[in-house]
Amino acid sequence: MRILLSATLALAASASATLADGHSDKCFVDATDPFDLSAEQVVELYACMEGKMLAGYTKGDNPVAAAYRGWAVTSTRPAVAGPHGDRFLQTFANDVAAEQYLKFEDEGVVMPAGSVLAKESFKLGKEGKPVRVGPLFIMTKGEAGVAPDTADWIYSAVQPNGKPMKIKQSFCHNCHVGWEDSDMLAYPLEEVRVSN
Ligand code: HEC
């Protein structure tokens, strides 16, 4: 299994067919099951995808999309948790959120108002298809009382083309409420959490 980066393709003499069909700027991986990739391959794939995610999310005017790459990264590499459509996920925490979030505490968590978590996502394509950018998922903690049905969290998402994604607060919250003791936060998989 091998990840073909565009640079590799551009250098390879045999890559003319790939270049010709306009896929030279895409990221390919020789796998369709995300769980088949090694940690190293995920890191390599992320290197190919990160610019594409950022370029897509910032095509619109979403302020979180414009800012999140300057925030604290919460995992050592993207990982697949299962929920969020079997996508690879990587979460960033803004300055207000980072100190508490990075403790990854299970109980008694109360995130300060102004906390924002932004989560990039990408998904393997079907056989022979490029890896696709998924939505940027966002959780924003409002002042006490602004959103009583969702514990003052406001859920949102940016599509890969930069446009806002239509979502239902209840759709996101009904799953996130499973982590009520950590103020609705599910956190990255344990093996990829940054140590602090
Ligand atoms: C079926 C369950 C489920 C649904 C529905 C869901 N999430 Fe999540 N969400 C998770 C899990 C599990 C994680 C942690 C996994 C990871 O990041 O690796 C997570 C993590 C997040 C994070 C990072 C903060 C955290 O919890 O650690 C954000 C932001 C987020 N989700 C936003 C959303 C938005 C916006 C929606 C609705 C469009 C949504 N989620 C719907 C399960 C869900």
Side-chain angles (χ1 to χ4, degrees), residues 62 64 84 111 115-119 135-142 146-158 164-180 182-186:
N62 186 283
V64 173
H84 285 270
M111 294 299 287
S115 292
V116 186
L117 289 319
K119 185 159 66 154
L136 179 70
F137 297 98
I138 302 166
M139 289 171 68
T140 304
K141 184 83 174 189
V146 296
D149 292 344
T150 52
D152 300 321
W153 284 106
I154 294 128
Y155 298 86
S156 61
V158 178
M165 193 167 124
K166 278 214 172 107
I167 57 162
K168 269 182 96 170
Q169 296 298 305
S170 60
F171 168 75
C172 308
H173 191 67
N174 287 351
C175 186
H176 274 263
V177 77
W179 294 278
E180 204 166 7
S182 52
D183 201 358
M184 318 304 151
L185 299 173

Side-chain angles (χ1 to χ4, degrees), residues 18 21 23 26-32 125-131:
T18 312
D21 70 6
H23 281 181
K26 305 237 161 99
C27 309
F28 290 89
V29 61
D30 184 14
T32 50
K126 296 211 170 72
E127 190 91 47
K129 300 276 185 216
V131 180

Side-chain angles (χ1 to χ4, degrees), residues 49-128:
M49 290 300 291
E50 61 180 328
K52 297 181 200 322
M53 289 189 281
L54 186 61
Y57 302 147
T58 52
K59 271 184 193 150
D61 56 2
N62 186 283
V64 173
Y68 80 91
R69 287 301 301 246
W71 299 352
V73 65
T74 68
S75 55
T76 52
R77 60 170 171 87
V80 182
H84 285 270
D86 270 0
R87 295 182 179 95
F88 283 95
L89 307 169
Q90 173 130 291
T91 297
F92 295 76
N94 76 348
D95 285 353
V96 180
E99 190 183 346
Q100 177 62 54
Y101 189 89
L102 291 172
K103 292 178 187 165
F104 304 115
E105 284 176 344
D106 290 335
E107 284 178 12
V109 178
V110 181
M111 294 299 287
S115 292
V116 186
L117 289 319
K119 185 159 66 154
E120 302 175 316
S121 71
F122 58 90
K123 190 170 186 166
L124 300 192
K126 296 211 170 72
E127 190 91 47

